[in-house]
Amino acid sequence: AQKVTQAQTEISVVEKEDVTLDCVYETRDTTYYLFWYKQPPSGELVFLIRRNSFDEQNEISGRYSWNFQKSTSSFNFTITASQVVDSAVYFCALSEALGNNDMRFGAGTRLTVKP
Amino acid sequence: GAVVSQHPSRVICKSGTSVKIECRSLDFQATTMFWYRQFPKQSLMLMATSNEGSKATYEQGVEKDKFLINHASLTLSTLTVTSAHPEDSSFYICSAGEATVSGANVLTFGAGSRLTVL
């Protein structure tokens, strides 16, 4: 069975600090997909990234970067030079098998960026 | 990009009434949609998989008679909370997957529906 663990329940940083959100996953499948979503106070889920299990390249998108390490089953998310607008709950999620979009979410990390 | 519309965004009802929530894929067809429930400050929990033209598949512990799911067309799934009680108050979110070249779907989520049962 798949499982996603986000050990950090809440993180608080001051604007312009870098912050890393941890995500550790468990799966028996060799093919799987990892995701990060942002949930601002309004409630909607905003898709940030999808990574498949065969692609361990790290990715950078503006101030966001992701570090996928299969050896440690981790898919960590770093925000560089954080801004107040980054304040939200961030969810890491896992979907097993190609074409299977049954997605399981971690508990989420609530990030608060203070001015 | 793919858009999923969810309606209503907020609903308040009296205990014992039934509430219907709609989930529509606006610019793509979705043979499968998913319904999640999120309690305050908690994660999203998958309730059921909605299959177009057939019965929904419910997760363990979810009452199918309580949470009726209908997926009558390729763009619409509905969740009806029957005889709602205060403990059903929650944030309900739907999602739908648009097939990609690789065959794997990227889920797009609706904006959610906040149900408050008095």
Side-chain angles (χ1 to χ4, degrees):
Chain A
Q2 70 223 74
K3 182 180 177 182
V4 178
T5 301
Q6 293 179 257
Q8 304 150 307
T9 306
E10 294 191 30
I11 299 176
S12 181
V13 299
V14 177
E15 207 169 20
K16 296 184 182 178
E17 286 185 11
D18 298 347
V19 58
T20 295
L21 310 181
D22 298 333
C23 174
V24 175
Y25 62 91
E26 294 178 29
T27 176
R28 295 176 184 168
D29 278 15
T30 55
T31 302
Y32 52 89
Y33 297 82
L34 295 163
F35 303 78
W36 276 96
Y37 283 86
K38 174 181 180 180
Q39 187 178 40
S42 53
E44 78 276 17
L45 281 172
V46 178
F47 168 78
L48 297 178
I49 190 171
R50 179 188 73 162
R51 174 67 67 206
N52 75 53
S53 53
F54 298 108
D55 182 2
E56 280 194 79
Q57 274 195 330
N58 292 327
E59 182 157 337
I60 298 175
S61 176
R63 295 184 297 107
Y64 295 169
S65 63
W66 290 269
N67 185 351
F68 179 25
Q69 298 278 348
K70 287 183 76 171
S71 60
T72 55
S73 296
S74 64
F75 186 43
N76 297 337
F77 172 32
T78 297
I79 302 175
T80 304
S82 59
Q83 300 175 2
V84 173
V85 293
D86 295 328
S87 297
V89 179
Y90 290 86
F91 290 99
C92 181
L94 169 70
S95 178
E96 289 178 333
L98 190 66
N100 175 6
N101 47 16
D102 172 10
M103 186 178 292
R104 306 291 171 153
F105 287 81
T109 298
R110 181 176 300 276
L111 173 65
T112 302
V113 181
K114 299 177 181 177
Chain B
V3 177
V4 173
S5 172
Q6 197 171 332
H7 177 82
S9 58
R10 290 180 181 273
V11 57
I12 301 173
C13 69
K14 291 183 178 180
S15 186
T17 60
S18 294
V19 175
K20 180 186 285 187
I21 301 170
E22 292 186 349
C23 180
R24 293 180 185 272
S25 56
L26 295 188
D27 47 3
F28 66 99
Q29 294 182 332
T31 55
T32 306
M33 293 184 176
F34 299 88
W35 287 96
Y36 291 83
R37 182 175 183 176
Q38 185 182 27
F39 289 108
K41 296 190 176 183
Q42 292 190 26
S43 187
L44 285 78
M45 299 301 296
L46 180 67
M47 297 175 65
T49 302
S50 174
N51 304 300
E52 187 268 334
S54 64
K55 291 182 179 180
T57 305
Y58 290 81
E59 294 298 301
Q60 193 171 13
V62 178
E63 300 175 59
K64 58 182 67 177
D65 294 331
K66 175 75 170 176
F67 300 100
L68 299 179
I69 291 173
N70 184 281
H71 196 151
S73 76
L74 286 171
T75 59
L76 174 64
S77 174
T78 60
L79 168 67
T80 301
V81 183
T82 61
S83 187
H85 291 289
E87 58 266 29
D88 298 324
S89 299
S90 188
F91 192 57
Y92 293 88
I93 306 176
C94 72
S95 69
E98 183 177 24
T100 64
V101 173
S102 67
N105 296 350
V106 175
L107 289 182
T108 300
F109 286 80
S113 299
R114 190 167 302 283
L115 170 64
T116 303
V117 185
L118 303 177

